[in-house]
Amino acid sequence: MKQSLQLKMGQHLTMPPQLQQAIRLLQLSTLDLQQEIQEALDSNPMLETSEEADELHEQSQPEQADNATQSAEPETTSSKEHTDSAYEEPSNSQNDSLDEYQETEDSFDDQWNDRIPEELATDSSWDDTFQASTNSGSTTHRDEDLPFESNDSAEETLQDHLLWQLNLTPMSPTDQMIAEAIIDGIDTEGYLRISLDELLEHFVQEESELFQDAELDELEAVLHRIQQFDPPGVAARDLGECLSIQLQQLPPDTPLLKQSVMLCRQYIHLLGSRDYKQLMRKLRLKEPQLQAIITLIQSLNPHPGSFISNSKAEYVIPDVYVEKIRGVWTVRLNSEASPNLQINTRYADLIRRADNSADNTYLKSHLQEARWFIKSLQSRNETLLKVSSQIIERQSDFLDFGPEAMKPMVLHDIAEAVEMHESTISRVTTQKYMHTPRGIFELKYFFSSHVSTSDGGAASSTAIRAVIKKLIAAENPTKPLSDNKIAQLLDEEGIQVARRTIAKYREAMGIAPSNERKRLI
């Protein structure tokens, strides 16, 4: 083929960098936005916070006062010289007293220097020691200013807690190694996830000299020792053993303690399936006694490892606040979520228009980036405030009456109201939280599909979930409501929902089916 050059005309959309930056900041959460702002402050000298500007202004005022004082010093010096010339020379008696004082001071210095050896028995000089003590004092002061949670830098795990107790327990070297292996096999919930047979086989193969005559009973004995450690119920192999260990640590005079231990060891599966009749027949108990045993078992902890957990709590920072002022719900942005940025005037004044040097070009480019970044943040805040205001305007009944009054609403409704695209509304409402008198909710919470009602209207799926939760909370525990019965009750209120939809909503809320919600009384 013959190569040739051709010109073509076409149209295509290109997104400028400023718009790309605005879209990227719009979809960031509050924590991600704070990190983005901090990175911009570290990389761009033209950006500064309003707090930094105020501190620089406060520091500049004492400097100006010192400059004014120094400018007045020549006149003060000349007047001092004129005043000194008016004094007479001191008398001889005064000179003699001064000489005596100087001799006394010199003799005291000589005596003190004689007591101090020339070479100290240390490997550091005076300057190093003084500087180290000063730094340690300042570090201690800074540590006191830190929050209480930051003092615990090393988090203790369940294995660390058990090994600490093991070191305080007298054991032979062989039992010590077995105990360490058992502790390594305990998961974060406190259960032993490795069988003793596997441990015995491992020790016989790897440590043949020490475990030549080892038996399973020896591992069982070490396991029982560990099961007495804190937290109660640790190192259990199943739920029944975990509960029975905790029951055995209760006072011996606890009512129905023997029957409770028997239930946990032998009939825990019947309790899980709520076969109360079979339990009463096996244990030879009456209904009030079985109810007392179940109440005692429910007071135990099925996950003993949860007492010592290394998971950190995650806090939600709301982006907007909703308040009722003079009978009207108002929305305001959280000013503490992001700092107030501005242009650094000191560096901006250094820019010269007609200068094309490298330093001037560097300042110009960073000044333009700083302006774009500040404008993108302002656009993000305006969009977030506009969308949040529309949500509250449409869902004001939720704030007044609760989730049952939630109205059906989709992204398209808000997009038409604020004249934006649905993708923009989706970015604004993702990982953004609203602080209301009823709690903190993600903006996505206020959007839900609708279900038709008998009168031709529509009901929100969030409101239907709230009604289902309310019905189940008020049900008779001996005869819980089935999904079919809940659908009939909703149909009586004019909400037509299928039984499978009720089951889907119930599972989404983490509510067990009717057979698992059944109680004795």
Side-chain angles (χ1 to χ4, degrees):
M1 297 178 61
K2 183 179 179 181
Q3 295 182 354
S4 61
L5 296 176
Q6 296 179 356
L7 295 177
K8 292 183 178 180
M9 297 181 62
Q11 294 181 351
H12 63 280
L13 295 175
T14 58
M15 189 177 297
Q18 182 179 1
L19 183 57
Q20 293 179 4
Q21 185 184 52
I23 294 176
R24 186 170 57 85
L25 294 180
L26 189 63
Q27 61 187 3
L28 293 180
S29 63
T30 302
L31 296 178
D32 295 337
L33 180 65
Q34 291 177 352
Q35 183 178 0
E36 187 75 16
I37 291 174
Q38 187 60 44
E39 292 178 357
L41 289 171
D42 296 338
S43 61
N44 195 336
M46 287 295 177
L47 281 174
E48 67 176 1
T49 61
S50 58
E51 291 80 4
E52 294 176 354
D54 295 339
E55 291 178 0
L56 292 175
H57 180 68
E58 292 176 358
Q59 294 176 1
S60 63
Q61 289 181 352
E63 294 178 358
Q64 294 176 359
D66 294 340
N67 295 333
T69 305
Q70 292 176 1
S71 62
E73 281 183 358
E75 298 180 358
T76 306
T77 305
S78 61
S79 61
K80 183 178 181 181
E81 291 176 355
H82 183 271
T83 306
D84 292 341
S85 63
Y87 286 126
E88 296 180 356
E89 294 182 358
S91 60
N92 294 330
S93 61
Q94 293 177 350
N95 291 331
D96 295 340
S97 62
L98 291 174
D99 294 339
E100 292 177 0
Y101 175 78
Q102 186 67 31
E103 291 176 0
T104 305
E105 186 178 3
D106 294 339
S107 63
F108 177 77
D109 292 340
D110 294 338
Q111 294 176 2
W112 183 255
N113 291 330
D114 292 340
R115 297 180 182 178
I116 301 178
E118 294 182 358
E119 295 183 358
L120 297 175
T122 59
D123 58 351
S124 62
S125 62
W126 173 260
D127 295 335
D128 297 337
T129 305
F130 181 76
Q131 185 176 3
S133 62
T134 305
N135 293 336
S136 62
S138 60
T139 304
T140 305
H141 178 71
R142 287 195 300 269
D143 292 341
E144 292 176 356
D145 296 338
L146 294 175
F148 175 77
E149 291 82 359
S150 62
N151 294 334
D152 293 335
S153 57
E155 297 179 354
E156 184 183 27
T157 62
L158 179 60
Q159 274 71 22
D160 296 336
H161 186 63
L162 295 175
L163 290 174
W164 170 73
Q165 299 175 76
L166 178 63
N167 294 331
L168 300 177
T169 305
M171 283 187 179
S172 63
T174 304
D175 292 345
Q176 186 87 10
M177 295 181 62
I178 296 174
E180 292 177 356
I182 291 176
I183 291 175
D184 290 338
I186 298 176
D187 61 3
T188 56
E189 294 184 353
Y191 287 89
L192 180 62
R193 298 305 183 185
I194 184 171
S195 65
L196 297 182
D197 294 332
E198 295 176 357
L199 283 178
L200 181 60
E201 183 180 357
H202 168 74
F203 282 125
V204 171
Q205 294 178 357
E206 300 295 332
E207 306 287 345
S208 58
E209 296 180 358
L210 294 176
F211 295 90
Q212 188 68 31
D213 299 330
E215 295 182 358
L216 190 62
D217 295 340
E218 187 174 359
L219 275 69
E220 287 278 359
V222 176
L223 176 61
H224 290 322
R225 293 281 299 274
I226 297 177
Q227 288 177 348
Q228 306 304 317
F229 288 178
D230 181 78
V234 72
R237 286 163 286 190
D238 51 34
L239 178 60
E241 187 178 13
C242 176
L243 298 177
S244 62
I245 292 172
Q246 298 179 52
L247 288 172
Q248 291 174 354
Q249 297 182 9
L250 295 177
D253 57 348
T254 303
L256 301 173
L257 180 60
K258 183 179 179 180
Q259 292 85 348
S260 301
V261 174
M262 185 182 299
L263 189 151
C264 293
R265 288 181 176 178
Q266 302 179 13
Y267 308 114
I268 191 68
H269 60 284
L270 297 178
L271 182 62
S273 61
R274 302 184 185 276
D275 192 352
Y276 300 124
K277 294 182 179 180
Q278 188 77 0
L279 279 174
M280 287 186 289
R281 186 169 62 254
K282 294 284 186 180
L283 298 174
R284 298 179 181 179
L285 298 174
K286 296 182 180 180
E287 185 173 331
Q289 294 175 329
L290 181 59
Q291 180 63 37
I293 291 177
I294 294 175
T295 304
L296 178 60
I297 293 176
Q298 289 177 347
S299 65
L300 306 177
N301 184 14
H303 306 287
S306 60
F307 281 115
I308 302 174
S309 178
N310 56 356
S311 60
K312 294 183 179 179
E314 297 182 359
Y315 300 95
V316 174
I317 301 177
D319 297 86
V320 293
Y321 284 92
V322 178
E323 298 174 315
K324 196 169 190 178
I325 300 176
R326 296 178 182 178
V328 179
W329 292 105
T330 58
V331 182
R332 63 178 178 88
L333 294 174
N334 184 9
S335 58
E336 299 179 357
S338 61
N340 187 16
L341 300 183
Q342 62 184 21
I343 301 296
N344 192 323
T345 56
R346 291 190 175 184
Y347 288 118
D349 294 340
L350 298 177
I351 298 177
R352 294 179 294 273
R353 295 184 179 180
D355 191 357
N356 293 325
S357 61
D359 295 339
N360 200 56
T361 304
Y362 173 83
L363 293 176
K364 283 183 179 180
S365 61
H366 280 77
L367 178 61
Q368 185 65 26
E369 292 178 2
R371 289 174 176 171
W372 284 356
F373 192 80
I374 293 175
K375 189 175 181 180
S376 299
L377 285 179
Q378 293 176 352
S379 176
R380 178 185 186 275
N381 293 336
E382 292 174 359
T383 306
L384 181 60
L385 183 61
K386 189 184 299 184
V387 172
S388 301
S389 301
Q390 284 293 328
I391 291 176
I392 293 302
E393 183 179 348
R394 294 172 178 266
Q395 300 291 356
S396 58
D397 291 342
F398 163 77
L399 300 174
D400 292 327
F401 307 106
E404 298 178 12
M406 184 79 75
K407 296 180 179 178
M409 184 176 65
V410 294
L411 296 176
H412 180 71
D413 300 334
I414 302 297
E416 284 187 347
V418 299
E419 298 180 352
M420 294 181 180
H421 197 268
E422 292 185 23
S423 60
T424 304
I425 305 301
S426 178
R427 293 188 180 96
V428 174
T429 55
T430 302
Q431 295 183 346
K432 311 296 188 305
Y433 294 90
M434 176 183 294
H435 186 280
T436 68
R438 294 190 175 273
I440 299 178
F441 302 94
E442 189 180 7
L443 296 185
K444 288 283 189 183
Y445 173 77
F446 297 93
F447 295 89
S448 59
S449 58
H450 66 278
V451 177
S452 301
T453 59
S454 58
D455 57 356
S460 171
S461 59
T462 304
I464 296 175
R465 290 190 181 95
V467 174
I468 294 173
K469 188 175 182 180
K470 183 178 179 181
L471 291 174
I472 293 177
E475 69 183 0
N476 186 1
T478 58
K479 295 181 180 180
L481 298 175
S482 62
D483 296 338
N484 192 20
K485 182 63 177 178
I486 294 175
Q488 294 178 4
L489 294 176
L490 291 178
D491 189 32
E492 293 176 0
E493 296 182 7
I495 304 175
Q496 300 176 355
V497 185
R499 184 196 58 81
R500 59 180 179 274
T501 306
I502 299 294
K504 182 179 69 174
Y505 289 167
R506 177 181 51 75
E507 293 174 358
M509 292 185 293
I511 300 176
S514 59
N515 61 333
E516 297 182 8
R517 300 197 309 268
K518 188 176 181 180
R519 300 288 186 271
L520 287 177
I521 56 174

